[in-house]
Amino acid sequence: MGIPERQAYSLNSRKVAEATRSWLDKRGVKIEEIAELVLFLQQKYYPELTMEECVHNVEKVLEKREVQNAVLTGIQLDVLAEEGKLLSPLQEMIKNDEGLYGVDEILALSIVNVYGSIGLTNFGYVDKLKPGILERLNDKNLGPVHTFLDDIVGAIAAAASSRIAHNKQTEREVSIELPKEPGDD
Amino acid sequence: MGIPERQAYSLNSRKVAEATRSWLDKRGVKIEEIAELVLFLQQKYYPELTMEECVHNVEKVLEKREVQNAVLTGIQLDVLAEEGKLLSPLQEMIKNDEGLYGVDEILALSIVNVYGSIGLTNFGYVDKLKPGILERLNDKNLGPVHTFLDDIVGAIAAAASSRIAHNKQTEREVSIELPKEPGDD
Amino acid sequence: MGIPERQAYSLNSRKVAEATRSWLDKRGVKIEEIAELVLFLQQKYYPELTMEECVHNVEKVLEKREVQNAVLTGIQLDVLAEEGKLLSPLQEMIKNDEGLYGVDEILALSIVNVYGSIGLTNFGYVDKLKPGILERLNDKNLGPVHTFLDDIVGAIAAAASSRIAHNKQTEREVSIELPKEPGDD
Amino acid sequence: MGIPERQAYSLNSRKVAEATRSWLDKRGVKIEEIAELVLFLQQKYYPELTMEECVHNVEKVLEKREVQNAVLTGIQLDVLAEEGKLLSPLQEMIKNDEGLYGVDEILALSIVNVYGSIGLTNFGYVDKLKPGILERLNDKNLGPVHTFLDDIVGAIAAAASSRIAHNKQTEREVSIELPKEPGDD
């Protein structure tokens, strides 16, 4: 009372971060399953890469605000489409994962871009191949709507792969006594 | 009965196009107001540019599928935030036009990009200056939530400006008897 | 004398379009080879798709100014790197197709985006798999530098695939007596 | 001899970072001048913002690999256009800052995106208004070609502004005893 709603609003970053992890979990996505996609994409280039490193990199990607915004917005639209609460014809387009509807790819791109354009290829590759968890998320015979989520999960895996590529370069340069590159997170 | 829902779905492009026009109208945006933004952006470069041409170019932008997808998705999120039907903390972020929430800019960018990157500057300029209709859409003291819509309207105006730049070049080349450039729409 | 250089400059769109076709040809890329990538990407969805249609769609993509700009800029950088005429360390990064250099993907994205984000997946897929002409362009044992060109060719194929998806939808709707969707080129 | 060139290549991140700073300096751009653009953009929102903070944030932006790649590529193209060493018609388009050539905006976008889409508006705003150093870079009556550089400098200022927005939020939350948001660099 007395304080208008606008001024009372204050972003709580911790809540946003927690909701991101919690919403992924509720929609059936485990961090380990995203990490498996990362391993699938990167073990060819880094044979000693461990699942533990992949999990760590996925978690670092999920700490980025842009990623959290995309995850929350995409899952929200999936859930509303599943519940039939969107207006027609958007409801039908999202529910049926309409081929000419590209907003899911746009949100995915905003995730990939957090670690630069080098992740584009990895995103497109898993998005086409649908390995591991992506096959389940993309199965239209199951009940849930995952129009946004399957692209989002692939994008997180691609971004984590880019992060690994940056860090492996830094490690390599340190090992040959080049000074550490600053700023790469 | 007999026909599963998935197969029964069939995109109806006319309905998508009509919904785009109708939703803009219901949220208080007139084509003429977007055209005024175009005139504001372009009359310095083309002094003879008419409102009629600007209206025509806005209408051509609105015929593009990517633009329709972004308009419908953005307005849907605005409406749901206004009705308090999104989950926390996404609800608060969209309702309060949180500064670190950038999905509205991402959708806007997907509109601008339809006519190429040359529209980026025009988008940023009107989005900062908030001339004409954008001032009203951005007024937080009024009831409706337009977190997405103000960016979307600015992006449509920027895209229409890019379309005009392309067409004016074609006109100029035709007038000096260069062959018409094919494919620019 | 009298006419300063700036005013004397005048864009000639036909020359830009012709240079795009001619530079691709000089760098060993035939329109038919790009069309084969399109067929590879799309025949699963449209079994009756012909090479002729694919060639036509590649040609329509090449008429777009944004595409021409990306093709000319990318090939120019490839050629200069091949001739050793760039400054260090850019020279080494482009000549060796450095993994953390992503400007080639950025230019590719600007091509894909011309027909919307739905082409992202197709781009990433062929860029990883390197079928057909892309295998040759990506072969580092051959003399020429194609750091930009292999991404550009994949992006043109992805954009042509998106164009086909748009047009097939229009055809389908016309065939069931829905009105034609305007504006999809 | 014996070691083929491909294997001998090894990215040296420190050299890339140093070249970025050095090339900006050679083209007449001082870090302080970019920082002034940041202050121009942000002092309205953070009245106590100091030039020192702005300089620091510009320097952090310049440590990002994607930013370095865009700076080096853009300046290289400017220099080659200035020396008349590009092929026609690309040479004329870049030398004359052709309005329908948008690759400069594309590179700028890849810089802005490093700190998310919230920087788009700031980029467009300074790119239109051309305050401070941007006026000089954009002056076509002076000798040097800065077709890429003026967009790049505006993009660095916009990215630094986004970085400040993220950090100010973190500071505010820490001050009210919310836990620090992890991962925001």
Side-chain angles (χ1 to χ4, degrees), chain D residues 20-116:
Chain D
T20 303
R21 298 291 290 258
S22 154
W23 291 26
L24 283 171
D25 187 63
K26 276 184 202 154
R27 299 298 287 175
V29 176
K30 291 189 177 29
I31 304 299
E32 288 70 26
E33 290 171 306
I34 312 181
E36 278 164 15
L37 294 175
V38 179
L39 197 64
F40 167 80
L41 282 168
Q42 294 301 95
Q43 62 187 354
K44 176 166 114 184
Y45 309 107
Y46 311 108
E48 313 88 34
L49 189 68
T50 65
M51 262 298 284
E52 202 181 349
E53 274 177 280
C54 294
V55 166
H56 171 71
N57 278 281
V58 169
E59 287 180 331
K60 295 302 283 185
V61 169
L62 290 175
E63 287 175 3
K64 292 279 182 184
R65 182 72 53 118
E66 286 282 313
V67 175
Q68 296 166 355
N69 291 336
V71 169
L72 295 178
T73 308
I75 289 180
Q76 176 71 84
L77 288 164
D78 276 349
V79 168
L80 288 163
E82 199 173 298
E83 296 173 343
K85 289 186 179 163
L86 302 175
L87 295 168
S88 177
L90 186 66
Q91 168 67 34
E92 293 79 29
M93 288 198 288
I94 296 183
K95 184 158 188 200
N96 294 285
D97 203 357
E98 162 58 44
L100 297 183
Y101 180 77
V103 177
D104 39 350
E105 278 88 4
I106 291 168
L107 286 193
L109 185 59
S110 76
I111 292 173
V112 173
N113 273 342
V114 165
Y115 290 95

Side-chain angles (χ1 to χ4, degrees), chain A residues 45 99-100 102 105-106 109 117-118 120-122 124-125 127-129 165-166 169, chain C residues 45 99-100 102 105-106 109 117-118 120-122 124-125 127-129 165-166 169:
Chain A
Y45 309 107
L100 297 183
E105 278 89 3
I106 291 169
L109 185 60
S117 54
I118 61 168
L120 265 183
T121 300
N122 279 332
Y125 186 61
D127 199 48
K128 189 68 144 195
L129 230 62
H166 278 282
Q169 173 65 22
Chain C
Y45 309 107
L100 298 183
E105 279 89 2
I106 291 169
L109 185 59
S117 54
I118 61 168
L120 265 183
T121 300
N122 279 332
Y125 186 62
D127 199 48
K128 187 71 143 194
L129 230 61
H166 279 282
Q169 174 66 21

Side-chain angles (χ1 to χ4, degrees), chain B residues 1-36:
Chain B
M1 159 199 160
I3 300 169
E5 187 187 9
R6 282 284 306 167
Q7 294 188 11
Y9 168 72
S10 170
L11 178 66
N12 183 326
S13 298
R14 189 170 48 80
K15 276 195 192 167
V16 177
E18 286 173 358
T20 303
R21 298 292 291 257
S22 154
W23 291 26
L24 282 172
D25 187 62
K26 277 185 200 155
R27 299 297 289 176
V29 176
K30 290 189 175 30
I31 303 299
E32 287 71 24
E33 290 172 304
I34 311 182
E36 279 163 15

